[in-house]
Each structure stands twice: as C-alpha cells, then as structure tokens.
Amino acid sequence: MTQPEPGTVVVSEAGTGRYTQHVTAGGYEFVVDEPVSMGGDGSGPTPYDFLLGALGSCTAITLRMYADRKNIPLANVNIRLKHDRIHARDCERCDTEVGMVSRITREIELEGDLDDEQRAKLLAIADKCPVHRTLENQIDVQTKLV
C-alpha cells in the first residue's frame, strides 16, 4: 500500500481478532476493537470510545487555548463523556421526532481560581470546539469502492 496523503486515516483489519482493526493516523498507530460481550477481543477501545475521545480532547484543547489567550487562571480540565441512544420524541433539542437519536453527555470540570463569569464563558467556549461543531452539523459521508 502506498503512503496515504497527509490528513488521511487508514483502517485495515488487524488479522488478530474478528473485529480488531489497525488504524494509522498522522504517523501514529493504534487498535480499535469491540468488547468481548459484542464478539470482539476487547483488545482496544471501541469506535465510540474514540469518537468520545475526539470530542473530549478537542473540548479540552479549545478550553486551554482560550484560557491561555485570555489569561484565565485555568489550572486543569477534566471531561467525562458518555454515549447512548434515546427516542427522538424524548429529545428536547432535536428536530426529528421519530426513531432513535444518539446522545452524548459531556461533563466538564474546570479547576483553578475561576470566577462565575470565567466559568460561564469557558462553558460557552466548549461548544465551539471544531469536533463539537462537526458533530452538531449535518455530515456528508461519501463512500466509494476503490
């Protein structure tokens, strides 16, 4: 296989388990798998773990960049995320009312000598991270055989 162009992620079956995938991204390599309870080997985080990790890390990086730029005394950021699915009719913020929708719960802990105004601003900035914006907007996934 030829070297992929920059910004391209390559996924291939690892050959070590039924669902185990080998991922190469930006010169880094890692494994994605399903838990044993889903028929996988549990040899790595699940695809949803990586999705949540992308959102959480993007949020933390965005908060850190903003705090540094604005000289906000943010000492540390901890983010806990969870994915589940709910009935669309139970989603107050959703446009659709039929079927199921994905829900990500994100809890942000901000450490540091922060006043209420700084905390509120940082919470608003959290929603501006690029991955958050991508997930909240329509995504056009184009698939083709090669």
Side-chain angles (χ1 to χ4, degrees):
M1 178 186 277
T2 61
Q3 270 307 93
E5 63 184 69
T8 300
V9 175
V10 178
V11 180
S12 58
E13 290 191 317
T16 58
R18 182 165 179 82
Y19 301 125
T20 309
Q21 302 299 308
H22 179 261
V23 181
T24 303
Y28 298 96
E29 297 182 8
F30 51 93
V31 171
V32 178
D33 200 358
E34 289 292 334
V36 173
S37 63
M38 298 296 291
D41 289 346
S43 62
T46 70
Y48 276 106
D49 292 337
F50 278 101
L51 177 67
L52 296 178
L55 176 59
S57 58
C58 182
T59 301
I61 290 167
T62 300
L63 292 174
R64 172 59 55 209
M65 287 177 169
Y66 182 82
D68 289 352
R69 247 189 338 269
K70 299 295 185 177
N71 294 315
I72 295 174
L74 178 63
N76 195 41
V77 178
N78 295 296
I79 301 176
R80 286 174 294 285
L81 300 106
K82 184 176 182 194
H83 171 263
D84 62 350
R85 295 183 48 81
I86 60 171
H87 291 283
R89 67 179 174 271
D90 296 331
C91 180
E92 296 174 9
R93 297 176 28 174
C94 297
D95 293 333
T96 184
E97 297 178 5
V98 179
M100 301 290 285
V101 295
S102 284
R103 175 177 59 188
I104 295 175
T105 305
R106 178 177 57 179
E107 297 176 348
I108 301 172
E109 178 184 3
L110 304 173
E111 297 176 8
D113 188 21
L114 306 167
D115 61 33
D116 290 343
E117 185 178 329
Q118 290 168 325
R119 288 180 180 282
K121 185 58 180 176
L122 288 167
L123 184 61
I125 292 298
D127 287 347
K128 298 188 183 314
C129 94
V131 172
H132 181 111
R133 288 181 175 202
T134 298
L135 291 172
E136 285 210 326
N137 288 311
Q138 182 173 333
I139 300 172
D140 177 23
V141 178
Q142 299 179 5
T143 304
K144 63 182 178 180
L145 285 174
V146 293

